[in-house]
C-alpha cells in the first residue's frame, strides 16, 4: 500500500473513532474499517437513504441487487443479481469488484484478506 493511501486510511479511522466518541459510544475496529472504506458511498443503518451506492443494512443473505429504490448497473445485475450475499461472495466482491462483475459501477480492490475479513465481520455483527 502506498504511503499516501496508508495515511488516508489511518486518518479515516481516526476521524471515525472521534465521531463515535463524540456520540458517546465505543466503535469497533470492523466498524471503523467499514466506515472508512465503504462510508463515502454507502449507508449502513435501517431506513437510511441510499448514497452513491445502495444502503447496506442487512446485507448478508439478502439477494444481490435487491435494495429497494436503488438503480443497479446492468452489468452488476447480469453477473450477481439475485445471488444471496454470503461471506464468500462478499469476500470475492471486496477483493475485486470488476473481476466479479466487469463493467459494474462499483470499483473497489482490497488485496488484504485481513481487512476484508474485518469488513465482513462488521456485516455479520450488524445483520
Amino acid at each position: 500500500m502506498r504511503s499516501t493511501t496508508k495515511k488516508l486510511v489511518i486518518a479515516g479511522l481516526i476521524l471515525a473513532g472521534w465521531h463515535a466518541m463524540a456520540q458517546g459510544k465505543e466503535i469497533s475496529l470492523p466498524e471503523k474499517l467499514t466506515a472508512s472504506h465503504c462510508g463515502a458511498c454507502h449507508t449502513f443503518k435501517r431506513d437510511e437513504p441510499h448514497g452513491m451506492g445502495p444502503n447496506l443494512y442487512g446485507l448478508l443473505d439478502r439477494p444481490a441487487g435487491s435494495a429497494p429504490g436503488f438503480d443497479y448497473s446492468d452489468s452488476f445485475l447480469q453477473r450477481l443479481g439475485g445471488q444471496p450475499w454470503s461471506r464468500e461472495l462478499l469476500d470475492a466482491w471486496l477483493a475485486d469488484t470488476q473481476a466479479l462483475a466487469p463493467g459494474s459501477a462499483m470499483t473497489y480492490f482490497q488485496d488484504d484478506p485481513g481487512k476484508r475479513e474485518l469488513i465482513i465481520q462488521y456485516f455479520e455483527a450488524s445483520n
Side-chain angles (χ1 to χ4, degrees):
M1 185 184 280
R2 298 162 109 185
S3 177
T4 304
T5 304
K6 282 183 183 178
K7 288 176 185 174
L8 288 173
V9 168
I10 290 169
L13 290 172
I14 290 169
L15 288 173
W18 283 343
H19 178 71
M21 287 188 298
Q23 294 179 343
K25 74 171 193 171
E26 187 67 29
I27 187 166
S28 69
L29 182 56
E31 187 175 1
K32 287 177 191 176
L33 191 64
T34 303
S36 69
H37 282 246
C38 311
C41 297
H42 296 279
T43 55
F44 307 100
K45 304 282 188 241
R46 181 189 304 267
D47 299 326
E48 282 186 317
H50 299 297
M52 258 179 36
N55 178 300
L56 300 177
Y57 179 80
L59 179 69
L60 290 178
D61 298 323
R62 181 173 84 192
S66 68
F70 187 78
D71 187 23
Y72 292 89
S73 67
D74 289 338
S75 176
F76 178 88
L77 291 174
Q78 289 171 2
R79 303 287 178 139
L80 298 176
Q83 292 183 54
W85 282 109
S86 64
R87 79 179 342 269
E88 294 79 19
L89 182 59
L90 183 54
D91 184 59
W93 179 249
L94 294 172
D96 186 350
T97 58
Q98 293 301 302
L100 211 53
S104 65
M106 184 172 162
T107 303
Y108 182 81
F109 309 93
Q110 181 49 258
D111 60 354
D112 183 335
K115 288 181 182 175
R116 292 194 313 266
E117 175 62 26
L118 288 170
I119 292 170
I120 293 166
Q121 286 176 13
Y122 169 78
F123 288 110
E124 288 177 328
S126 65
N127 243 5

